[in-house]
Amino acid sequence: MLFRERENLVYLISNIVVSTGYFLYIAQRYIALGLDPSDDFNFWGSAILVIVPIFVVTRLIIRIIFSIINAIVTQREEPDFLDEFDKIVELKATQNFYHVFMFGFFVSIFTLVLDMPPFVMFNILMLTIIIAGVVGDISRLLFYRRGV
Amino acid sequence: MIYHGYYSIGVGYKMSKSQITNNIRKLRFEHNEMTQQELADKVKVSRQTIVAIEKGNYSPSLELAFKIAHVFGVPLEAVFIYTP
């Protein structure tokens, strides 16, 4: 397995672990607080906003740790630039991310049309962000392994 | 909608695998058994990219193709072969 494949596999696993942990934490907190439906917007709005910096910071930390461990194990310095192949893989993986996200977004909006409580919409939106991220990571991994 | 290179929704076709093959591996061995990393360093890409090109999983840009041919000192057609 080459560097980018290993790197994306690590990102994928960390993404799943962190996302699942965060989602379970938020769900437990929501149940424990026993909020009024009118407070749903405040709670879920902040929960979704916080997930973005969590993903960014986690990705950064994982990247630094992985680079250090990889350098120690392989005794090789990997390129720190993105060449044309990396850019195309990133482009296509991001495309897949957006497709999944848009689908989930419309599903979440549709729950409002069905008069479901707001927390259902927010849950679907949060799950959409998580699943889209996972799809993006899996796409990157597959493109690196099988080509574009 | 049709996505270039992807399955189209409702039609379900995939872009055919690359019809361009290459002799990069053979040329590397003929040039003092050049490694993939050495070739990658010369053309300023990652080893991952060279591996993908050799396996036929990625068709390089024109610029990169010319750079690779220049490294081996052969014409482009000696490196990449197009099969219609």
Coordinates of all heavy atoms in Angstrom, one line a residue, chain A residues 28-112:
Chain A
Q28 N -26.9 11.8 23.2 CA -27.0 11.6 24.6 C -27.3 12.9 25.3 O -28.1 13.0 26.2 CB -25.8 10.9 25.2 CG -25.7 9.4 25.0 CD -24.4 8.8 25.5 OE1 -23.4 9.5 25.7 NE2 -24.5 7.6 25.8
R29 N -26.6 13.9 24.9 CA -26.7 15.2 25.6 C -28.1 15.8 25.3 O -28.7 16.4 26.2 CB -25.6 16.2 25.0 CG -25.4 17.3 25.8 CD -24.0 17.9 25.8 NE -24.1 19.2 26.4 CZ -24.0 20.4 25.7 NH1 -23.9 20.4 24.4 NH2 -24.1 21.5 26.4
Y30 N -28.6 15.6 24.1 CA -30.0 16.1 23.8 C -31.0 15.4 24.6 O -31.9 16.0 25.2 CB -30.2 15.8 22.3 CG -31.6 16.3 21.8 CD1 -31.8 17.6 21.6 CD2 -32.6 15.3 21.6 CE1 -33.1 18.0 21.2 CE2 -33.8 15.8 21.1 CZ -34.1 17.1 20.9 OH -35.3 17.5 20.5
I31 N -30.8 14.1 24.8 CA -31.8 13.3 25.6 C -31.7 13.7 27.1 O -32.7 14.0 27.8 CB -31.6 11.8 25.5 CG1 -31.9 11.4 24.0 CG2 -32.4 11.0 26.5 CD1 -31.4 10.0 23.7
A32 N -30.5 13.9 27.6 CA -30.2 14.3 29.0 C -30.8 15.6 29.3 O -31.3 15.9 30.4 CB -28.7 14.2 29.3
L33 N -30.6 16.6 28.3 CA -31.1 18.0 28.6 C -32.6 18.0 28.6 O -33.2 18.9 29.3 CB -30.5 18.9 27.6 CG -29.0 19.3 27.7 CD1 -28.5 20.1 26.5 CD2 -28.8 20.1 29.0
G34 N -33.3 17.2 27.8 CA -34.7 17.2 27.8 C -35.3 18.5 27.3 O -36.1 19.1 27.9
L35 N -34.7 19.0 26.2 CA -35.0 20.3 25.8 C -36.5 20.5 25.2 O -37.1 19.5 24.8 CB -34.1 20.7 24.6 CG -32.6 21.0 25.0 CD1 -31.8 21.1 23.8 CD2 -32.5 22.2 25.9
D36 N -36.9 21.7 25.3 CA -38.2 22.1 24.7 C -38.0 22.1 23.2 O -36.9 22.4 22.7 CB -38.5 23.6 25.1 CG -39.9 23.7 25.5 OD1 -40.5 22.7 26.0 OD2 -40.4 24.8 25.4
P37 N -39.0 21.7 22.4 CA -38.9 21.7 20.9 C -38.5 23.1 20.4 O -37.8 23.2 19.4 CB -40.3 21.4 20.4 CG -40.9 20.5 21.5 CD -40.3 21.1 22.8
S38 N -38.8 24.2 21.1 CA -38.4 25.5 20.7 C -36.9 25.8 20.8 O -36.4 26.7 20.2 CB -39.2 26.6 21.5 OG -38.9 26.4 22.8
D39 N -36.3 25.0 21.7 CA -34.8 25.1 21.8 C -34.0 24.3 20.9 O -32.8 24.3 20.9 CB -34.4 24.7 23.3 CG -35.0 25.7 24.3 OD1 -35.1 26.9 24.0 OD2 -35.4 25.3 25.4
D40 N -34.8 23.5 20.1 CA -34.1 22.5 19.2 C -33.2 23.3 18.2 O -32.1 22.8 18.0 CB -35.1 21.8 18.4 CG -35.6 20.5 19.1 OD1 -35.1 20.2 20.2 OD2 -36.5 19.8 18.6
F41 N -33.6 24.4 17.7 CA -32.9 25.1 16.7 C -31.5 25.5 17.2 O -30.5 25.4 16.6 CB -33.6 26.3 16.1 CG -34.8 25.9 15.3 CD1 -36.1 25.8 15.9 CD2 -34.7 25.5 14.0 CE1 -37.2 25.4 15.1 CE2 -35.8 25.2 13.2 CZ -37.0 25.1 13.8
N42 N -31.5 26.1 18.4 CA -30.3 26.5 19.1 C -29.4 25.4 19.3 O -28.2 25.5 18.9 CB -30.7 27.2 20.4 CG -29.5 27.9 21.0 OD1 -28.5 27.3 21.3 ND2 -29.6 29.2 21.2
F43 N -29.9 24.3 19.9 CA -29.0 23.2 20.2 C -28.4 22.5 19.0 O -27.2 22.3 18.9 CB -29.9 22.1 21.0 CG -29.1 20.9 21.3 CD1 -28.3 20.9 22.5 CD2 -29.2 19.7 20.5 CE1 -27.6 19.7 22.8 CE2 -28.4 18.6 20.9 CZ -27.6 18.6 22.0
W44 N -29.3 22.2 18.0 CA -28.8 21.4 16.8 C -28.0 22.3 15.9 O -27.0 21.9 15.3 CB -29.9 20.8 16.1 CG -30.5 19.6 16.8 CD1 -31.7 19.6 17.5 CD2 -29.9 18.4 17.0 NE1 -31.9 18.4 18.1 CE2 -30.8 17.6 17.8 CE3 -28.7 17.8 16.6 CZ2 -30.5 16.3 18.1 CZ3 -28.4 16.5 16.9 CH2 -29.3 15.7 17.7
G45 N -28.4 23.6 15.9 CA -27.6 24.6 15.0 C -26.2 24.6 15.5 O -25.2 24.5 14.7
S46 N -26.0 24.8 16.8 CA -24.6 24.8 17.4 C -23.9 23.5 17.2 O -22.7 23.4 17.0 CB -24.6 25.3 18.8 OG -25.5 24.6 19.6
A47 N -24.6 22.4 17.4 CA -24.0 21.1 17.2 C -23.5 20.9 15.8 O -22.4 20.3 15.6 CB -25.0 20.0 17.5
I48 N -24.2 21.3 14.8 CA -23.8 21.2 13.4 C -22.6 22.1 13.1 O -21.7 21.8 12.4 CB -24.9 21.4 12.4 CG1 -25.9 20.2 12.5 CG2 -24.5 21.6 11.0 CD1 -27.2 20.3 11.8
L49 N -22.7 23.3 13.6 CA -21.6 24.3 13.4 C -20.3 23.8 14.0 O -19.2 24.0 13.5 CB -21.9 25.7 13.9 CG -22.9 26.5 13.1 CD1 -23.2 27.8 13.8 CD2 -22.3 26.8 11.7
V50 N -20.4 23.2 15.2 CA -19.2 22.7 15.9 C -18.5 21.5 15.2 O -17.3 21.4 15.2 CB -19.5 22.4 17.3 CG1 -18.5 21.5 18.0 CG2 -19.8 23.6 18.1
I51 N -19.3 20.7 14.4 CA -18.8 19.5 13.8 C -17.7 19.9 12.8 O -16.8 19.1 12.6 CB -19.9 18.7 13.2 CG1 -19.5 17.2 13.1 CG2 -20.3 19.1 11.8 CD1 -20.6 16.3 12.7
V52 N -17.8 21.0 12.1 CA -16.9 21.4 11.1 C -15.5 21.6 11.6 O -14.5 21.0 11.2 CB -17.4 22.6 10.3 CG1 -16.4 23.1 9.3 CG2 -18.7 22.3 9.5
P53 N -15.3 22.5 12.6 CA -14.0 22.6 13.2 C -13.5 21.4 13.8 O -12.2 21.1 13.8 CB -14.1 23.8 14.2 CG -15.5 24.0 14.4 CD -16.2 23.5 13.2
I54 N -14.3 20.5 14.4 CA -13.9 19.3 14.9 C -13.3 18.4 13.8 O -12.2 17.8 14.0 CB -15.1 18.5 15.6 CG1 -15.4 19.2 16.9 CG2 -14.8 17.0 15.8 CD1 -16.6 18.5 17.7
F55 N -13.9 18.3 12.7 CA -13.4 17.5 11.6 C -12.0 18.1 11.1 O -11.1 17.4 10.8 CB -14.3 17.6 10.4 CG -15.4 16.5 10.5 CD1 -16.6 16.7 9.8 CD2 -15.3 15.4 11.2 CE1 -17.7 15.8 9.9 CE2 -16.3 14.4 11.3 CZ -17.5 14.6 10.7
V56 N -12.0 19.4 11.0 CA -10.8 20.1 10.5 C -9.6 19.8 11.5 O -8.5 19.5 11.1 CB -11.0 21.6 10.3 CG1 -9.7 22.4 10.1 CG2 -12.0 21.9 9.2
V57 N -9.8 20.1 12.7 CA -8.8 19.9 13.8 C -8.3 18.4 13.8 O -7.1 18.1 13.9 CB -9.2 20.4 15.1 CG1 -8.3 20.0 16.2 CG2 -9.4 21.9 15.1
T58 N -9.3 17.5 13.8 CA -9.0 16.1 13.9 C -8.1 15.7 12.7 O -7.1 15.0 12.8 CB -10.3 15.3 13.9 OG1 -11.2 15.7 14.9 CG2 -10.0 13.8 14.1
R59 N -8.5 16.2 11.5 CA -7.8 15.8 10.3 C -6.4 16.3 10.4 O -5.4 15.6 10.0 CB -8.5 16.4 9.1 CG -8.0 16.1 7.7 CD -8.1 14.7 7.3 NE -9.4 14.2 7.2 CZ -10.0 13.8 6.1 NH1 -9.4 14.0 4.9 NH2 -11.2 13.3 6.1
L60 N -6.2 17.5 10.9 CA -4.9 18.1 11.0 C -4.0 17.3 12.0 O -2.8 17.0 11.7 CB -5.0 19.6 11.6 CG -3.9 20.6 11.3 CD1 -3.8 20.7 9.8 CD2 -4.3 21.9 11.9
I61 N -4.6 17.0 13.1 CA -3.8 16.2 14.1 C -3.4 14.8 13.6 O -2.3 14.4 13.7 CB -4.6 16.0 15.4 CG1 -4.8 17.4 16.1 CG2 -4.0 15.1 16.4 CD1 -5.8 17.4 17.3
I62 N -4.4 14.2 12.9 CA -4.2 12.8 12.4 C -3.1 12.9 11.3 O -2.2 12.1 11.2 CB -5.4 12.3 11.7 CG1 -6.5 12.1 12.8 CG2 -5.1 11.0 11.0 CD1 -6.4 10.9 13.7
R63 N -3.1 14.0 10.5 CA -2.1 14.1 9.4 C -0.7 14.3 10.0 O 0.2 13.7 9.5 CB -2.5 15.4 8.6 CG -1.6 15.5 7.4 CD -1.9 16.8 6.6 NE -0.8 16.9 5.6 CZ -1.1 17.4 4.4 NH1 -2.2 17.8 4.1 NH2 -0.1 17.4 3.5
I64 N -0.6 15.1 11.0 CA 0.7 15.3 11.6 C 1.3 14.0 12.2 O 2.4 13.6 12.0 CB 0.7 16.4 12.7 CG1 0.4 17.8 12.0 CG2 1.9 16.5 13.5 CD1 0.0 18.9 13.0
I65 N 0.4 13.3 13.0 CA 0.8 12.1 13.7 C 1.2 11.0 12.6 O 2.2 10.4 12.7 CB -0.3 11.6 14.6 CG1 -0.5 12.6 15.8 CG2 0.0 10.2 15.1 CD1 -1.7 12.2 16.7
F66 N 0.3 10.9 11.6 CA 0.6 9.9 10.6 C 1.9 10.2 9.8 O 2.7 9.3 9.5 CB -0.6 9.9 9.6 CG -0.4 8.9 8.4 CD1 -0.5 7.6 8.6 CD2 0.0 9.4 7.2 CE1 -0.3 6.7 7.6 CE2 0.2 8.5 6.1 CZ 0.1 7.1 6.4
S67 N 2.1 11.5 9.5 CA 3.4 11.8 8.8 C 4.6 11.4 9.6 O 5.6 10.9 9.1 CB 3.4 13.3 8.5 OG 2.4 13.7 7.6
I68 N 4.5 11.7 10.9 CA 5.7 11.4 11.8 C 5.9 9.9 11.9 O 7.0 9.4 11.7 CB 5.4 12.0 13.2 CG1 5.4 13.5 13.2 CG2 6.5 11.4 14.2 CD1 5.0 14.2 14.4
I69 N 4.8 9.1 12.1 CA 4.9 7.7 12.2 C 5.4 7.1 10.9 O 6.2 6.2 10.9 CB 3.5 7.1 12.7 CG1 3.2 7.5 14.1 CG2 3.6 5.5 12.6 CD1 1.8 7.1 14.6
N70 N 4.8 7.6 9.8 CA 5.2 7.0 8.5 C 6.7 7.3 8.2 O 7.4 6.4 7.7 CB 4.3 7.7 7.4 CG 4.6 7.1 6.1 OD1 4.2 6.0 5.8 ND2 5.2 7.8 5.2
A71 N 7.2 8.5 8.6 CA 8.6 8.8 8.4 C 9.5 7.9 9.2 O 10.5 7.5 8.7 CB 8.8 10.3 8.7
I72 N 9.1 7.6 10.4 CA 9.8 6.7 11.3 C 9.9 5.3 10.8 O 10.9 4.6 10.7 CB 9.3 6.8 12.8 CG1 9.5 8.1 13.4 CG2 9.9 5.7 13.6 CD1 8.8 8.4 14.7
V73 N 8.7 4.8 10.4 CA 8.6 3.4 9.9 C 9.2 3.2 8.6 O 10.0 2.2 8.4 CB 7.1 3.0 9.9 CG1 6.9 1.6 9.3 CG2 6.5 2.9 11.3
T74 N 8.9 4.0 7.6 CA 9.4 3.8 6.2 C 10.8 4.4 6.0 O 11.5 4.1 5.0 CB 8.5 4.4 5.2 OG1 8.4 5.8 5.4 CG2 7.1 3.7 5.3
Q75 N 11.3 5.3 6.9 CA 12.5 6.0 6.7 C 12.6 6.8 5.4 O 13.6 6.9 4.8 CB 13.7 5.0 6.8 CG 13.8 4.2 8.1 CD 14.3 5.1 9.2 OE1 15.2 5.9 9.1 NE2 13.6 4.9 10.4
R76 N 11.4 7.2 5.0 CA 11.4 7.9 3.7 C 10.6 9.2 3.9 O 9.6 9.2 4.6 CB 10.7 7.0 2.7 CG 10.8 7.4 1.3 CD 9.9 6.6 0.4 NE 10.1 5.2 0.6 CZ 9.6 4.3 -0.3 NH1 8.9 4.7 -1.3 NH2 9.7 3.0 0.0
E77 N 11.0 10.2 3.2 CA 10.2 11.5 3.2 C 9.2 11.5 2.0 O 9.6 11.4 0.9 CB 11.2 12.7 3.1 CG 10.6 14.0 3.6 CD 11.5 15.1 3.5 OE1 12.7 14.9 3.8 OE2 11.1 16.2 3.0
E78 N 8.0 11.6 2.4 CA 6.9 11.6 1.4 C 6.7 13.0 0.8 O 7.0 14.0 1.5 CB 5.6 11.0 1.9 CG 5.7 9.6 2.4 CD 6.0 8.6 1.3 OE1 5.8 8.9 0.1 OE2 6.4 7.5 1.6
P79 N 6.2 13.1 -0.4 CA 6.1 14.5 -1.0 C 5.0 15.3 -0.2 O 4.0 14.7 0.2 CB 5.6 14.2 -2.4 CG 5.1 12.8 -2.4 CD 5.8 12.1 -1.4
D80 N 5.3 16.5 0.0 CA 4.3 17.4 0.7 C 3.6 18.3 -0.3 O 3.1 19.4 0.1 CB 5.0 18.2 1.8 CG 6.1 19.1 1.2 OD1 6.4 19.0 0.0 OD2 6.7 19.8 2.0
F81 N 3.6 17.9 -1.6 CA 2.9 18.7 -2.6 C 1.8 17.8 -3.2 O 1.9 16.6 -3.2 CB 3.8 19.3 -3.6 CG 4.5 18.2 -4.4 CD1 4.0 17.7 -5.6 CD2 5.7 17.7 -3.9 CE1 4.7 16.7 -6.3 CE2 6.4 16.7 -4.7 CZ 5.9 16.2 -5.8
L82 N 0.8 18.5 -3.9 CA -0.2 17.7 -4.6 C 0.1 17.8 -6.1 O 0.2 18.9 -6.6 CB -1.6 18.3 -4.3 CG -2.1 18.2 -2.9 CD1 -3.5 18.9 -2.8 CD2 -2.3 16.7 -2.5
D83 N 0.4 16.7 -6.7 CA 0.6 16.7 -8.1 C -0.7 16.5 -8.9 O -1.8 16.5 -8.3 CB 1.7 15.6 -8.5 CG 1.2 14.2 -8.2 OD1 0.0 14.0 -8.0 OD2 2.0 13.3 -8.3
E84 N -0.6 16.4 -10.2 CA -1.9 16.4 -11.0 C -2.8 15.2 -10.7 O -4.0 15.4 -10.7 CB -1.5 16.4 -12.5 CG -0.6 15.2 -13.0 CD -0.3 15.3 -14.4 OE1 0.3 16.2 -14.9 OE2 -0.8 14.4 -15.1
F85 N -2.2 14.1 -10.4 CA -3.0 12.9 -10.0 C -3.7 13.1 -8.7 O -4.9 12.8 -8.6 CB -2.1 11.7 -9.9 CG -2.8 10.4 -9.6 CD1 -3.8 10.0 -10.4 CD2 -2.3 9.6 -8.6 CE1 -4.5 8.8 -10.2 CE2 -3.0 8.3 -8.3 CZ -4.0 8.0 -9.1
D86 N -3.0 13.7 -7.7 CA -3.7 14.0 -6.4 C -4.8 15.0 -6.6 O -5.9 14.9 -6.0 CB -2.6 14.6 -5.5 CG -1.5 13.7 -5.1 OD1 -1.8 12.5 -4.9 OD2 -0.4 14.1 -5.0
K87 N -4.6 16.0 -7.5 CA -5.6 17.0 -7.7 C -6.9 16.4 -8.4 O -8.0 16.7 -8.0 CB -5.1 18.1 -8.6 CG -4.1 19.0 -7.8 CD -3.6 20.1 -8.7 CE -2.5 20.8 -8.0 NZ -1.6 21.7 -8.9
I88 N -6.7 15.5 -9.3 CA -7.8 14.9 -10.0 C -8.6 14.0 -9.0 O -9.8 13.9 -8.9 CB -7.4 14.1 -11.2 CG1 -7.0 15.1 -12.3 CG2 -8.5 13.1 -11.7 CD1 -6.6 14.4 -13.6
V89 N -7.8 13.2 -8.2 CA -8.5 12.3 -7.2 C -9.3 13.2 -6.2 O -10.4 12.9 -5.9 CB -7.4 11.5 -6.4 CG1 -8.0 10.9 -5.1 CG2 -6.8 10.4 -7.3
E90 N -8.7 14.3 -5.8 CA -9.4 15.2 -4.8 C -10.6 15.8 -5.4 O -11.7 15.8 -4.8 CB -8.4 16.3 -4.4 CG -8.9 17.2 -3.3 CD -9.1 16.5 -2.0 OE1 -8.3 15.5 -1.7 OE2 -10.1 16.8 -1.3
L91 N -10.5 16.2 -6.7 CA -11.7 16.7 -7.4 C -12.8 15.8 -7.5 O -14.0 16.1 -7.2 CB -11.2 17.1 -8.8 CG -12.2 18.0 -9.6 CD1 -12.2 19.4 -9.1 CD2 -11.7 18.0 -11.1
K92 N -12.5 14.5 -7.9 CA -13.6 13.5 -8.1 C -14.1 13.1 -6.7 O -15.3 12.8 -6.6 CB -13.0 12.3 -8.9 CG -12.7 12.7 -10.3 CD -12.5 11.5 -11.2 CE -12.4 11.9 -12.6 NZ -12.4 10.8 -13.5
A93 N -13.3 13.0 -5.7 CA -13.8 12.6 -4.4 C -14.7 13.7 -3.8 O -15.7 13.4 -3.2 CB -12.6 12.3 -3.4
T94 N -14.3 14.9 -4.0 CA -15.1 16.0 -3.6 C -16.5 16.1 -4.3 O -17.5 16.4 -3.7 CB -14.4 17.4 -3.8 OG1 -13.1 17.3 -3.2 CG2 -15.2 18.5 -3.2
Q95 N -16.5 15.7 -5.6 CA -17.7 15.6 -6.3 C -18.6 14.6 -5.7 O -19.8 14.9 -5.6 CB -17.3 15.2 -7.8 CG -18.4 15.5 -8.8 CD -17.8 15.2 -10.2 OE1 -17.0 14.4 -10.4 NE2 -18.4 15.9 -11.2
N96 N -18.1 13.5 -5.3 CA -18.9 12.4 -4.7 C -19.4 12.9 -3.4 O -20.6 12.7 -3.0 CB -18.1 11.1 -4.5 CG -17.8 10.4 -5.8 OD1 -18.4 10.7 -6.8 ND2 -17.0 9.4 -5.8
F97 N -18.6 13.6 -2.6 CA -19.0 14.2 -1.3 C -20.2 15.1 -1.5 O -21.2 15.0 -0.8 CB -17.9 15.0 -0.7 CG -18.2 15.8 0.5 CD1 -18.1 15.3 1.8 CD2 -18.7 17.1 0.4 CE1 -18.5 16.0 2.9 CE2 -19.0 17.9 1.5 CZ -18.9 17.3 2.7
Y98 N -20.1 16.0 -2.5 CA -21.2 16.9 -2.8 C -22.5 16.2 -3.2 O -23.6 16.6 -2.8 CB -20.8 18.0 -3.8 CG -19.9 19.0 -3.3 CD1 -18.8 19.5 -4.0 CD2 -20.0 19.6 -2.0 CE1 -17.9 20.4 -3.5 CE2 -19.2 20.5 -1.5 CZ -18.1 20.9 -2.3 OH -17.3 21.9 -1.8
H99 N -22.4 15.2 -4.0 CA -23.6 14.5 -4.5 C -24.3 13.9 -3.3 O -25.5 14.0 -3.2 CB -23.2 13.4 -5.4 CG -22.7 13.8 -6.7 ND1 -21.9 13.1 -7.6 CD2 -22.8 15.0 -7.4 CE1 -21.6 13.8 -8.7 NE2 -22.1 15.0 -8.5
V100 N -23.6 13.2 -2.4 CA -24.2 12.6 -1.2 C -24.8 13.7 -0.3 O -25.9 13.6 0.2 CB -23.2 11.7 -0.4 CG1 -23.8 11.2 0.9 CG2 -22.7 10.6 -1.3
F101 N -24.0 14.8 -0.1 CA -24.5 15.8 0.8 C -25.8 16.5 0.2 O -26.7 16.7 1.0 CB -23.4 16.9 0.9 CG -23.8 18.0 1.8 CD1 -23.8 17.9 3.2 CD2 -24.3 19.2 1.3 CE1 -24.2 18.9 4.0 CE2 -24.7 20.3 2.1 CZ -24.7 20.1 3.5
M102 N -25.8 16.7 -1.0 CA -27.0 17.4 -1.6 C -28.2 16.5 -1.5 O -29.3 16.9 -1.2 CB -26.8 17.7 -3.1 CG -25.9 18.9 -3.3 SD -26.3 20.3 -2.3 CE -27.9 20.8 -2.9
F103 N -28.0 15.2 -1.7 CA -29.1 14.2 -1.6 C -29.6 14.2 -0.1 O -30.8 14.4 0.1 CB -28.7 12.8 -1.9 CG -29.7 11.8 -1.7 CD1 -30.8 11.7 -2.6 CD2 -29.7 10.9 -0.6 CE1 -31.8 10.7 -2.4 CE2 -30.6 10.0 -0.4 CZ -31.7 9.8 -1.3
G104 N -28.7 14.2 0.8 CA -29.1 14.2 2.2 C -29.8 15.5 2.7 O -30.7 15.5 3.5
F105 N -29.3 16.6 2.1 CA -29.8 17.9 2.4 C -31.3 18.0 2.0 O -32.1 18.4 2.8 CB -29.0 19.0 1.7 CG -29.5 20.3 1.9 CD1 -29.4 21.0 3.1 CD2 -30.2 21.0 0.9 CE1 -29.8 22.3 3.2 CE2 -30.7 22.2 1.0 CZ -30.5 22.9 2.2
F106 N -31.6 17.5 0.8 CA -32.9 17.6 0.3 C -33.8 16.6 1.1 O -35.0 16.9 1.3 CB -33.0 17.2 -1.2 CG -32.6 18.4 -2.1 CD1 -31.5 18.4 -2.9 CD2 -33.3 19.6 -2.0 CE1 -31.1 19.4 -3.6 CE2 -32.9 20.7 -2.8 CZ -31.8 20.6 -3.6
V107 N -33.3 15.5 1.5 CA -34.1 14.6 2.3 C -34.4 15.2 3.7 O -35.5 15.2 4.2 CB -33.3 13.2 2.6 CG1 -34.0 12.4 3.7 CG2 -33.2 12.4 1.3
S108 N -33.4 15.9 4.2 CA -33.7 16.6 5.5 C -34.7 17.7 5.4 O -35.6 17.9 6.3 CB -32.4 17.2 6.1 OG -31.9 18.2 5.3
I109 N -34.7 18.4 4.3 CA -35.7 19.5 4.1 C -37.0 18.9 3.8 O -38.1 19.4 4.3 CB -35.3 20.4 2.8 CG1 -33.9 21.1 3.1 CG2 -36.4 21.3 2.5 CD1 -34.0 22.1 4.2
F110 N -37.1 17.7 3.2 CA -38.3 17.1 2.9 C -39.1 16.7 4.2 O -40.3 16.6 4.2 CB -38.1 15.8 2.0 CG -39.3 15.2 1.5 CD1 -40.2 15.9 0.6 CD2 -39.7 13.9 1.9 CE1 -41.3 15.3 0.1 CE2 -40.9 13.3 1.4 CZ -41.7 14.0 0.5
T111 N -38.3 16.4 5.3 CA -38.9 16.0 6.5 C -39.8 17.2 7.1 O -40.7 17.0 7.8 CB -37.9 15.6 7.6 OG1 -37.0 16.7 7.8 CG2 -37.1 14.4 7.1
L112 N -39.4 18.4 6.8 CA -40.1 19.6 7.2 C -41.5 19.6 6.5 O -42.5 20.0 7.1 CB -39.4 20.9 6.9 CG -38.1 21.0 7.7 CD1 -37.4 22.4 7.3 CD2 -38.3 21.0 9.2

